[in-house]
Amino acid sequence: MFIYLSKKIAIPNSTRLKCVSWNKDQGYIACGGEEGLLKVLKLETQTDDAKLKGLAAPSNLSMNQTLEGHSGAVQVVTWNEQYQKLTTSDQNGLIIVWMLYKGSWYEEMINNRNKSVVRSMSWNASGQKICIVYEDGAVIVGSVDGNRIWGKELKGIQLAHVAWSPDSKILLFGMANGEIHIYDNQGNFIVKMTISCLINVTGAISIAGIHWYPGTEGYIEPDCPCLAVCFDNGRGQIMRYENDENPILLDTQMNVASIQWNHCGSVLAVAGCQKNITMDKDVNVVQFYTPFGEHLRTLKVPGKQMSAVSWEGGGLRIGLAVDSFIYFANIRPDYKWGYCSNTVVYAYTRPDRLEYSVVFWDTKNNEKFVKYVKSLISITTSGDFCILATKADDNQPQCPLVSAPGFQPDIESERVKWKGYECAMARGTVLSSVGQGARKGKEEAEPESGNATFVLVLCNSIGTPLDSKYIDIDPLFVTMTKTHVIAASKEAFYTWQYRVAKKLTAMEINQVAKTRKEGRERVYHIDDTPTGNTDGTLDFAKAFTATRDHICCITATDKTLIVGRESGIIQRYSLPNVALLQKYTLNYRAYQLSLNCNSSRLAIIDIAGVLTFLDLDSRASSGDGFVGDQAAAPSGDPSKFERKDVWDMKWANDNPDLFAMMEKTRMYVFRNLDPEEPIQTSGYICNFEDLEIKSVLLDEIMKDPERPNKDYLINFEIRSLRDSRALIEKVGIEDASQFIEDNPHPRLWRLLAEAALQKLDLKTAEQAFVRCKDYQGIEFVKRLGNLQSESMKQAEVVAYFGRFEEAERMYLDMDRRDLAINLRIKLGDWFRVLQLLKTGSGDSDDALLEQAYNAIGDYFADRQKWVNAVQYYLQGRKQERLAECYYMLEDYDGLERLANSLPENHKLLPDIGQMFVTVGMCEQAVNAYLKCNQPKAAVEACVHLNQWNKAVELAKDHNMKEIGPLLSKYASHLLEKNKRLEAVELYRKAHHFLDAAKLMFKIADEEAKKRTRPLRVKKLYVLAALLVENYHEQMKTSQQSKAKGKKSEATSALAGLLEEDASSTDNRIVDNAWRGAEAYHFFLLAQRQLYDGNVDAAMKTALHLRDYEDIIPAVEIYSLLAICSSANRAFGTCSRAFIKLESLESLSPEQRQSYEELALEIFTKYPPKDNRKSELDSISEGVEGKLPTCIVTGRIISEYQFWMCSSCKHCAMEQEINRYNFCPLCHSALA
């Protein structure tokens, strides 16, 4: 930071000031002094110039009101910013609360205890409560509306100071003897504060100030010290919280009068006086410190005695009460910022986040990208890239950069690459992001990064991390060139030759990551003398060797590295091979260094803001970065050059003798060390190129950092550019040409060329374009020379300068609609092209019209407005994009129409087929594939969509062999997963009926073994049998199709059966397909008849079951038969059933015993004889063939006429089947 005195206001009658307080929100300044003096002032900027903003704008007193009411010296003034109140108190103990009414301050409340004097008053952070402490130990806490909340008398204690904690839960009371006591907000004592800074201090001391920063603007680091306590002897401490055991200790070596934090808690001002040994008198000084106790600056202030200090709300000014004057000093903060490729990168803190918000503001497109970075140290930029230096988290090193919501990086081209830790945009302990899911990931760290404590992240201009390095040295000073990043601590510097992965794959990025050992990174100690060979290694151990003379600043260009040391020594090294070339000795300490574009001259700003120069080379007439044909004019003597109060400077990128510098609120441009007239501004210089200076008003941006405004970026033209422009406009091209000849610069030649073009002076234009090496310009002039018509030339020039509307109008006036159309095509304004094509008389070019329609379709498609795109693609007949639009709109009918309208073998058909496959539309996909003669793709689509029958059909139609293996592979996959019914369904769909039937029989047999649900088993057997019937049908039809009518139907059917016979390995399945179904049908029928009381029918049905012992266990068959026959009083049949049961080998002896006992019990009562002969027995065995059985009743059919099922070929009596709509066995509908 840099600070300088800017203004002084005298108090009338030389009344001495005691206190001053600056209202942070509204900008009012209250000052109190002797004889009851109380004034409220307000400084406001008054300017009409939009470019003059901030500190550069002149400020005047817009308010200067004396408040009457106090008689004694006013000792305490404090603002309540939230409620716009001012509270003051004087030596008599009178307290007055003032309020603002219609632009003036009036008394609102008065209070006087008349016992003691008020020593301190403090409002809490919310402005709701005030705490007042009296010298005699009385404490009063009141509310903003004047009511007393509580009061307390602390016996035997002299109070001097009070401060609230940020959360208003704690009060700190400072005693007159220097002790600080901690109380809760109800006035209960908690503990005494440990004052570490006063160890070994003797004599009487008093507290000079206590200030606890309330965190209203966020903190510069997590867990940042924010409570400052300072004593009159110059000792002080800064704590993280009220009982911090490790505070940061200060020894300012001055008599302190007052202290205050700035608006964001980043700088502590300590005001007082210092003994000047040589002059033997006190000098007023303000010392500035960081929260970590680092000394930033010292400001000397004239006058006898300084009594108070107060910061302005934005932290850009400070008010000091000295004697009977208020002095104002301007502050130029060291913002964390940089400028790369039209992008301003800046960081700020927010109260709601622990991290810094780093904004990448693209000034060209006015877009911004926000990243959140924890513990950011600095931002450094060069070319198109920037380096963010951050502190790594001790617990868990992770990627130190995360994007804000709404920012989606291009994953492919700009993959995040971390050294040792790959965690792309994850939320970690080092960094976090809103709206993104947490994912903590850490890969195996390479040994050298295991204890790395700092990270350098290389980003592009939208904040995408491209590479990063973990280093062990504290990067206090960072500079970068087009190829190197150099970071320095106090003792050593580290160089990293970075590479930018433009289009690297992930594998290549990992290879780039492993180049750490290839010498792209080196560490050098400041006391080493490298020779440029391979001295530097990546050994951070040497970086911790102490040195007496610390590094204090660095800078670099592509070929030179300059390191400044605290003693005034400047060390110059070569790059890229680091070799110590020279040492220079200055008699002051450098604060900021800067090299010109050809590394011949070094600019040095010292700690006091004095700018001087050091010539490194004997002046070269034209260096590398020296553009154009100017020879360096004899420059002034740099050793005699000196400017004071300089806080920023920038060399021109294209001229080694040109630089701009900021001196207080003025910008000076120097050519050969001669200044031009200054420009009033307080901007920070971004870039100096082409005789133009780009400056950014960071002070204004930081007032509302979330909404940067293009007005805050200002371009200044230097005098030679302004003069040349004035000459061209007022005098003419010839004289201007002579002036530019004398002061050559490519930018001036370009200005001349453009002016000559406007006047169609082609000769001068061509010469000027040659001088500024603009090849396109030369070509353009030649093209103009070939044109005949003057008006045509003028139109071309107008278009060249970007005034396209005017150019188009000129073309149309010349009746050259074609040129107007070409112009619009070049600009990509297809809407206008379409308009021009439609408005023209005569036939417009059809190809061009189609091109315009398609381009407009592309415009809408790019914005995902598919409906609009379809309309234009239809007119432009661009079928590829039309298909895409239909697909995105889910208009599959439109897609099908498009496929049907395309000619065969069109290249779009496979894509359309694939689109249909992705949404499961098999038929349409097949049609599309077949139309482009890709049956294999059609089959694959069917397989993918599980349409196996279609797949098999297609495979057969196109003689494809692959379907069989594919089918069996899928079936075995299903069977492995025990999905047997799915496998059956698969075989059935693929018309592999026999395989399906085999599987089905297997399932039915297994289900039958469970002996639980006979109806389910019957259904399974029926399904298996139906599959076999389908197989028969398939064989018959295949034979018919082979025969093609040459033989009779009977013959072909016979051939089918013979083929079936030959091919069938499992005759049991094919021949006796219905046995299982029959067995369970009769088994169920018998039970149903028995329960219905139809015992005779039940017995007759049960007798049929004797043929099915291979399917139903014999014990169940004969048990059922025994029950039915005994119920039917047919004890002969019953006896035979018992004999069969007793002879079964599968029974255990106990079971057999129980059967025998039951038989004995029955047959002792009833003789084993049948009353009437069974129908089954009465049929003579001699009759050829077996008579059919009725599947409705289970009786034998002896009539000649009966009904037969068309599916299962089973019979029933006609009178019985009439009651049914479905076949009782196979359940197919009756004809």
Side-chain angles (χ1 to χ4, degrees):
M1 64 177 275
F2 184 71
I3 182 162
Y4 58 90
L5 290 169
S6 60
K7 203 178 190 74
K8 172 175 157 185
I9 295 175
I11 301 299
N13 309 324
S14 300
T15 311
R16 288 177 67 82
L17 291 175
K18 293 273 193 186
C19 49
V20 64
S21 181
W22 204 323
N23 182 317
K24 302 274 184 293
D25 283 359
Q26 291 88 30
Y28 297 109
I29 305 160
C31 54
E34 293 177 346
E35 300 162 21
L37 170 89
L38 179 58
K39 271 185 168 301
V40 175
L41 316 171
K42 190 173 189 182
L43 281 177
E44 279 193 314
T45 55
Q46 288 148 343
T47 176
D48 302 328
D49 188 350
K51 283 189 177 179
L52 278 183
K53 285 196 170 74
L55 298 180
S59 57
N60 295 313
L61 282 176
S62 64
M63 174 181 275
N64 181 1
Q65 186 186 351
T66 304
L67 307 189
E68 306 285 347
H70 289 290
S71 53
V74 176
Q75 293 175 329
V76 186
V77 295
T78 178
W79 287 101
N80 181 340
E81 277 125 4
Q82 287 77 2
Y83 292 91
Q84 285 199 13
K85 291 181 191 298
L86 171 65
T87 316
T88 59
S89 128
D90 61 25
Q91 69 188 66
N92 304 324
L94 173 69
I95 301 172
I96 304 180
V97 179
W98 309 84
M99 56 178 269
L100 184 67
Y101 178 70
K102 290 188 177 173
S104 294
W105 293 91
Y106 296 96
E107 280 181 16
E108 185 185 14
M109 289 178 266
I110 293 183
N111 178 26
N112 195 345
R113 266 178 82 231
N114 294 322
K115 281 187 185 175
S116 176
V117 58
V118 174
R119 278 283 164 231
S120 181
M121 297 186 287
S122 175
W123 288 96
N124 69 350
S126 64
Q128 298 275 356
K129 296 177 184 176
I130 188 170
C131 182
I132 303 163
V133 297
Y134 290 85
E135 196 173 47
D136 65 357
V139 178
I140 295 172
V141 173
S143 68
V144 67
D145 49 17
N147 295 323
R148 182 178 174 133
I149 297 173
W150 59 264
K152 203 161 198 173
E153 302 240 351
L154 306 179
K155 297 283 184 245
I157 288 176
Q158 267 193 304
L159 291 176
H161 287 272
V162 63
W164 287 94
S165 66
D167 59 6
S168 306
K169 289 183 178 171
I170 282 172
L171 280 164
L172 303 181
F173 294 133
M175 314 297 167
N177 63 2
E179 287 182 2
I180 298 174
H181 292 191
I182 302 170
Y183 280 73
D184 68 10
N185 59 4
Q186 297 304 312
N188 304 312
F189 176 74
I190 300 174
V191 71
K192 265 189 194 180
M193 185 184 284
T194 312
I195 309 293
S196 313
C197 62
L198 294 180
I199 293 168
N200 304 332
V201 172
T202 53
I205 48 146
S206 65
I207 299 169
I210 304 173
H211 191 194
W212 201 334
Y213 165 61
T216 42
E217 297 280 326
Y219 295 91
I220 60 169
E221 216 176 88
D223 205 21
C224 180
C226 55
L227 167 56
V229 176
C230 205
F231 296 87
D232 63 346
N233 64 355
R235 296 292 183 95
Q237 63 187 47
I238 309 176
M239 297 176 281
R240 289 165 184 81
Y241 40 88
E242 68 279 0
N243 43 20
D244 187 353
E245 289 173 11
N246 305 319
I248 282 139
L249 306 181
L250 296 178
D251 186 358
T252 61
Q253 296 181 342
M254 57 190 264
N255 290 330
V256 180
S258 172
I259 66 166
Q260 197 181 26
W261 285 110
N262 70 346
H263 69 301
C264 61
S266 63
V267 181
L268 176 69
V270 181
C273 59
Q274 218 167 19
K275 273 261 185 287
N276 190 321
I277 313 295
T278 53
M279 298 168 72
D280 197 33
K281 67 166 189 169
D282 288 353
V283 181
N284 290 322
V285 290
V286 186
Q287 306 273 25
F288 295 89
Y289 293 90
T290 68
F292 303 100
E294 293 155 24
H295 180 255
L296 292 170
R297 287 277 164 166
T298 302
L299 174 71
K300 289 184 180 172
V301 185
K304 286 182 185 165
Q305 193 189 355
M306 181 152 26
S307 54
V309 59
S310 188
W311 287 85
E312 183 202 22
L316 299 176
R317 284 189 290 192
I318 197 163
L320 307 163
V322 183
D323 303 333
S324 58
F325 300 97
I326 301 177
Y327 285 89
F328 293 97
N330 284 357
I331 287 157
R332 304 314 298 126
D334 285 334
Y335 292 116
K336 291 176 171 47
W337 81 286
Y339 180 81
C340 56
S341 66
N342 294 315
T343 301
V344 177
V345 186
Y346 59 90
Y348 67 98
T349 53
R350 280 166 42 171
D352 58 333
R353 295 194 75 100
L354 286 173
E355 310 93 342
Y356 270 91
S357 302
V358 181
V359 179
F360 291 78
W361 174 37
D362 179 349
T363 57
K364 207 170 182 181
N365 307 321
N366 205 19
E367 291 180 324
K368 69 179 179 59
F369 307 92
V370 184
K371 305 278 157 176
Y372 297 109
V373 186
K374 231 186 208 182
S375 307
L376 179 72
I377 299 167
S378 64
I379 295 173
T380 313
T381 52
S382 171
D384 296 341
F385 304 102
C386 85
I387 283 282
L388 304 181
T390 71
K391 215 180 258 185
D393 193 291
D394 304 333
N395 318 322
Q396 192 171 7
Q398 289 206 338
C399 64
L401 201 69
V402 158
S403 45
F407 170 61
Q408 305 248 314
D410 178 349
I411 303 300
E412 279 310 309
S413 64
E414 295 180 312
R415 284 270 325 258
V416 184
K417 206 281 298 166
W418 299 116
K419 180 74 199 103
Y421 309 100
E422 213 171 345
C423 83
M425 298 292 178
R427 178 181 186 153
T429 45
V430 182
L431 222 279
S432 65
S433 162
V434 185
Q436 294 184 334
R439 184 178 76 84
K440 298 198 175 184
K442 176 173 83 164
E443 294 194 356
E444 286 298 311
E446 293 196 8
E448 68 263 25
S449 66
N451 59 350
T453 46
F454 301 94
V455 196
L456 299 176
V457 185
L458 177 72
C459 298
N460 63 9
S461 59
I462 57 167
T464 307
L466 305 174
D467 200 352
S468 72
K469 292 288 179 227
Y470 282 75
I471 59 173
D472 290 352
I473 63 169
D474 189 348
L476 298 172
F477 314 101
V478 183
T479 185
M480 79 186 285
T481 68
K482 291 190 185 78
T483 53
H484 283 74
V485 173
I486 298 104
S489 64
K490 288 181 175 176
E491 299 85 16
F493 60 91
Y494 155 89
T495 66
W496 164 28
Q497 186 181 346
Y498 65 88
R499 288 196 292 177
V500 181
K502 281 264 164 70
K503 285 195 170 97
L504 293 186
T505 63
M507 204 160 105
E508 287 169 315
I509 284 175
N510 289 337
Q511 285 164 2
V512 171
K514 296 200 168 34
T515 58
R516 184 152 203 162
K517 298 166 190 70
E518 290 173 22
R520 292 187 166 274
E521 297 171 79
R522 296 186 187 284
V523 176
Y524 301 89
H525 193 273
I526 190 62
D527 294 331
D528 291 349
T529 312
T531 58
N533 300 333
T534 52
D535 314 58
T537 53
L538 191 66
D539 175 16
F540 283 108
K542 67 166 83 169
F544 301 113
T545 313
T547 178
R548 290 184 171 185
D549 189 4
H550 288 155
I551 296 173
C552 60
C553 49
I554 61 171
T555 188
T557 58
D558 290 344
K559 56 183 184 179
T560 307
L561 166 65
I562 303 285
V563 179
R565 304 179 72 167
E566 288 181 354
S567 64
I569 289 175
I570 299 283
Q571 293 182 193
R572 175 180 166 209
Y573 299 85
S574 62
L575 279 179
N577 297 327
V578 178
L580 181 60
L581 300 179
Q582 214 167 342
K583 287 190 180 185
Y584 306 87
T585 307
L586 310 174
N587 53 5
Y588 46 84
R589 186 205 291 189
Y591 176 71
Q592 187 181 327
L593 301 174
S594 184
L595 277 166
N596 64 356
C597 61
N598 65 357
S599 307
S600 61
R601 186 173 281 176
L602 176 69
I604 305 152
I605 302 175
D606 73 4
I607 197 82
V610 178
L611 171 68
T612 49
F613 288 99
L614 178 65
D615 268 352
L616 302 181
D617 294 346
S618 51
R619 298 291 279 152
S621 60
S622 68
D624 300 325
F626 195 17
V627 186
D629 25 29
Q630 66 250 45
S635 55
D637 182 2
S639 60
K640 294 197 174 74
F641 182 90
E642 186 176 291
R643 299 290 295 210
K644 291 186 176 151
D645 289 326
V646 177
W647 53 270
D648 194 12
M649 77 86 60
K650 194 92 173 171
W651 289 100
N653 296 346
D654 47 16
N655 185 333
D657 290 321
L658 212 53
F659 69 89
M661 54 159 257
M662 296 299 305
E663 189 178 286
K664 294 190 174 174
T665 52
R666 289 187 295 278
M667 181 196 286
Y668 288 91
V669 177
F670 284 77
R671 182 192 288 277
N672 301 330
L673 304 183
D674 293 331
E676 295 181 2
E677 67 277 2
I679 302 161
Q680 279 293 119
T681 177
S682 60
Y684 287 70
I685 304 168
C686 296
N687 196 30
F688 187 178
E689 198 169 17
D690 270 350
L691 308 183
E692 275 192 320
I693 299 164
K694 192 166 272 181
S695 170
V696 60
L697 299 174
L698 281 174
D699 300 336
E700 302 302 311
I701 285 177
M702 290 300 177
K703 288 177 184 170
D704 187 6
E706 290 177 34
R707 284 172 283 277
N709 185 331
K710 269 198 158 172
D711 296 346
Y712 301 153
L713 198 75
I714 302 174
N715 283 335
F716 299 105
E717 294 185 343
I718 78 163
R719 192 170 64 201
S720 56
L721 184 56
R722 295 198 302 269
D723 291 353
S724 304
R725 186 167 277 135
L727 275 173
I728 289 167
E729 283 170 9
K730 293 183 178 128
V731 182
I733 283 177
E734 214 136 292
D735 293 1
S737 176
Q738 191 52 50
F739 173 77
I740 292 168
E741 194 79 57
D742 299 339
N743 302 279
H745 191 281
R747 177 63 206 274
L748 300 182
W749 286 118
R750 195 160 74 243
L751 187 71
L752 181 68
E754 289 172 357
L757 272 183
Q758 297 269 30
K759 295 192 163 61
L760 292 181
D761 179 352
L762 300 187
K763 188 165 174 256
T764 312
E766 187 170 11
Q767 284 171 348
F769 276 131
V770 169
R771 297 296 287 274
C772 64
K773 298 179 181 172
D774 183 346
Y775 182 69
Q776 281 88 351
I778 299 166
E779 288 287 295
F780 178 67
V781 172
K782 283 192 172 160
R783 203 169 81 240
L784 282 185
N786 295 335
L787 295 175
Q788 302 305 315
S789 144
E790 284 292 303
S791 53
M792 184 75 82
K793 285 180 185 174
Q794 272 168 342
E796 287 287 324
V797 170
V798 167
Y800 178 81
F801 286 117
R803 304 203 300 274
F804 303 116
E805 301 293 329
E806 197 181 324
E808 184 191 299
R809 210 163 43 248
M810 290 167 85
Y811 286 138
L812 291 174
D813 292 346
M814 288 185 271
D815 201 21
R816 289 300 302 270
R817 193 166 58 101
D818 57 327
L819 293 177
I821 288 170
N822 284 342
L823 174 70
R824 288 297 173 185
I825 288 175
K826 272 185 202 162
L827 295 173
D829 183 356
W830 289 99
F831 289 97
R832 184 71 187 136
V833 171
L834 197 60
Q835 259 178 325
L836 290 168
L837 285 170
K838 285 183 174 174
T839 52
S841 54
D843 292 335
S844 61
D845 183 356
D846 286 350
L848 203 55
L849 204 56
E850 278 191 12
Q851 192 185 351
Y853 280 130
N854 289 332
I856 294 172
D858 290 342
Y859 170 86
F860 283 120
D862 290 345
R863 284 153 186 78
Q864 298 187 349
K865 296 183 174 173
W866 308 109
V867 178
N868 307 39
V870 164
Q871 298 165 4
Y872 285 99
Y873 284 141
L874 278 170
Q875 293 179 79
R877 298 208 286 269
K878 193 170 187 178
Q879 286 136 338
E880 295 84 355
R881 296 306 299 269
L882 193 56
E884 190 188 329
C885 292
Y886 281 140
Y887 184 65
M888 298 309 281
L889 285 169
E890 299 180 15
D891 179 2
Y892 303 118
D893 295 338
L895 197 56
E896 195 176 351
R897 283 197 302 277
L898 177 64
N900 294 339
S901 68
L902 292 173
E904 286 191 0
N905 292 328
H906 191 281
K907 66 175 190 294
L908 187 58
L909 284 166
D911 296 341
I912 293 178
Q914 184 53 37
M915 287 176 188
F916 281 129
V917 170
T918 56
V919 291
M921 297 173 74
C922 184
E923 194 181 331
Q924 290 84 342
V926 166
N927 292 342
Y929 282 129
L930 291 180
K931 197 169 183 182
C932 62
N933 200 18
Q934 292 189 13
K936 191 163 183 283
V939 170
E940 279 167 8
C942 294
V943 169
H944 179 68
L945 297 173
N946 235 347
Q947 301 293 321
W948 288 90
N949 47 351
K950 187 84 175 158
V952 174
E953 197 181 305
L954 283 169
K956 281 188 180 166
D957 290 349
H958 295 88
N959 297 325
M960 289 164 69
K961 302 281 182 285
E962 301 91 86
I963 193 71
L966 198 66
L967 183 70
S968 53
K969 194 171 165 189
Y970 185 50
S972 60
H973 163 73
L974 287 172
L975 291 173
E976 266 171 36
K977 292 196 165 181
N978 207 22
K979 295 182 174 176
R980 290 188 300 183
L981 288 171
E982 283 92 332
V984 170
E985 182 66 6
L986 172 72
Y987 279 132
R988 199 170 75 101
K989 279 189 172 175
H991 290 205
H992 283 224
F993 296 118
L994 194 58
D995 292 327
K998 284 179 192 172
L999 251 180
M1000 207 65 232
F1001 275 121
K1002 212 171 180 183
I1003 294 167
D1005 290 347
E1006 281 178 22
E1007 190 67 31
K1009 279 179 192 148
K1010 294 180 190 169
R1011 316 300 311 142
T1012 49
R1013 295 157 71 188
L1015 182 60
R1016 182 193 170 105
V1017 179
K1018 177 195 163 181
K1019 285 178 183 174
L1020 291 171
Y1021 276 123
V1022 168
L1023 180 52
L1026 286 172
L1027 287 168
V1028 174
E1029 292 300 329
N1030 288 345
Y1031 168 68
H1032 289 318
E1033 197 61 38
Q1034 187 187 26
M1035 296 311 279
K1036 204 160 91 183
T1037 49
S1038 72
Q1039 276 308 317
Q1040 279 173 358
S1041 61
K1042 278 183 195 168
K1044 286 194 179 146
K1046 287 178 189 166
K1047 302 174 193 166
S1048 68
E1049 198 175 305
T1051 323
S1052 61
L1054 184 63
L1057 289 170
L1058 287 171
E1059 187 185 320
E1060 203 182 282
D1061 208 34
S1063 65
S1064 170
T1065 50
D1066 202 336
N1067 285 336
R1068 178 208 148 210
I1069 288 178
V1070 177
D1071 298 346
N1072 304 319
W1074 289 98
R1075 268 183 67 73
E1078 288 164 5
Y1080 275 91
H1081 174 69
F1082 289 130
F1083 184 63
L1084 291 163
L1085 179 63
Q1087 310 231 20
R1088 209 175 288 122
Q1089 288 169 331
L1090 179 63
Y1091 281 99
D1092 288 345
N1094 196 347
V1095 285
D1096 187 43
M1099 186 187 83
K1100 285 173 183 166
T1101 307
L1103 281 168
H1104 286 296
L1105 291 175
R1106 291 177 303 177
D1107 298 339
Y1108 299 106
E1109 283 181 27
D1110 56 331
I1111 293 165
I1112 298 174
V1115 63
E1116 294 201 14
I1117 293 171
Y1118 290 105
S1119 299
L1120 178 64
L1121 182 57
I1123 290 170
C1124 293
S1125 53
S1126 64
N1128 195 25
R1129 325 281 298 166
F1131 293 112
T1133 307
C1134 183
S1135 164
R1136 285 196 292 279
F1138 267 106
I1139 292 167
K1140 191 74 178 166
L1141 277 172
E1142 286 164 23
S1143 65
L1144 287 178
E1145 290 171 7
S1146 60
L1147 294 183
S1148 64
E1150 293 79 34
Q1151 287 173 317
R1152 188 172 285 115
Q1153 177 70 32
S1154 54
Y1155 278 127
E1156 283 170 2
E1157 285 169 4
L1158 183 61
L1160 194 65
E1161 192 182 325
I1162 292 171
F1163 296 121
T1164 46
K1165 271 191 192 175
Y1166 306 103
K1169 279 191 211 161
D1170 287 350
N1171 296 348
R1172 52 180 182 276
K1173 210 162 174 55
S1174 162
E1175 252 178 64
L1176 281 170
D1177 297 346
S1178 66
I1179 294 163
S1180 65
E1181 299 298 325
V1183 180
E1184 275 185 29
K1186 204 172 161 197
L1187 288 176
T1189 309
C1190 173
I1191 53 172
V1192 179
T1193 60
R1195 293 210 298 274
I1196 299 288
I1197 301 171
S1198 50
E1199 292 113 36
Y1200 288 108
Q1201 211 170 354
F1202 51 82
W1203 171 88
M1204 182 184 273
C1205 172
S1206 58
S1207 293
C1208 62
K1209 308 291 186 286
H1210 283 72
C1211 309
M1213 295 178 199
E1214 279 195 333
Q1215 68 271 29
E1216 296 291 347
I1217 197 74
N1218 285 341
R1219 291 183 287 120
Y1220 289 84
N1221 292 324
F1222 296 94
C1223 169
L1225 179 65
C1226 69
H1227 303 282
S1228 54
L1230 301 189

